[in-house]
Amino acid sequence: MEANDRLTPEPPAADEAHRKGSSERRCILTGEAAPRAHLIRLALGPDGQVAADWSERLPGRGAWISADRSLFDSVAARGRLRGALARAFKANSFTFPDDLGLRIEVSLRQRLLARLGLEKRAGNLIIGEERVREALRAGKVWLVLHAGDARPDGADRLDGMARAVGESLGVDIAQRRLPIPRDALSAALGRDNAVHAALTDPAAAARVLADIDRWAGFAQPERDTGTETETEFEQTGGATEVAADALERH
């Protein structure tokens, strides 16, 4: 097996990505501090409506919330969301849609699909079981991904190989089953039957993991298969392309 020089404990690129994503903010719903990669920033648009700020750069005060859908719904159901937002924004003249939680969830899905497409165009993402196996043997993989409807035997074999390679090199090669069916993943990547994929750049892997974990934390359990969300996703009229443009700008 040919070890890759980048696959060493705490490589510079991965360490730099970790430092950038590790600055903490305080969740307005729990009062607890957490890394920004685990939180979602809300901001006020020009019309005074609350929306997710994925660039994390919109002007004015922001309100950071944990990527925890059950927590968000619980606070909203008890009528405490407006008060928490008012304290964070130091303002009372704002509105937020009744389906804010759903909008955030759908945006997280769009953001992840757009992210994967960008990483593919940048040459950081490879697709196909055999290509993933070859990259693992060469010690070039940082993250292994599977479509939500991937056959368990194929996914388990790749995951086992990733664990074995990681142990031999003294690193952790993450594995994730995406809450996205192969059809949606294939459409996002412009590739037929995209079932297995891998990230070959540590910073790219960190970016994708952050998006996966935030979506997984905020998606409602019954929507994780992507079947119901797909309808809203298709109704957004090119929102994935908009998300990709936003990611490229930031």
Side-chain angles (χ1 to χ4, degrees), residues 14 17 26 38 43 50 79 82 94 97 103 109 117 123 126 137 164 170 173 175 189-190 196 202 212-213 228:
R26 192 170 299 279
H38 298 167
V50 179
R82 171 170 286 277
F94 62 85
R103 294 188 185 200
R109 182 177 193 270
I126 59 175
R137 282 192 287 266
I173 301 175
Q175 309 110 42
L189 298 179
H196 307 287
I212 291 172
D213 290 344
E228 294 182 21

Side-chain angles (χ1 to χ4, degrees), residues 126-137 141 143-147 150-166 173-177 195-198:
I126 59 175
I127 305 168
E129 184 173 356
E130 287 307 314
R131 292 194 66 195
V132 174
R133 285 182 177 279
E134 292 174 3
L136 280 168
R137 282 192 287 266
V141 171
L143 170 62
V144 177
L145 301 174
H146 312 288
R151 291 180 56 179
D153 54 350
D156 289 347
R157 284 195 298 269
L158 284 178
D159 288 348
M161 184 177 181
R163 287 190 293 270
V165 171
I173 301 175
Q175 309 110 42
R176 291 287 190 279
R177 182 179 286 270
V195 180
H196 307 287

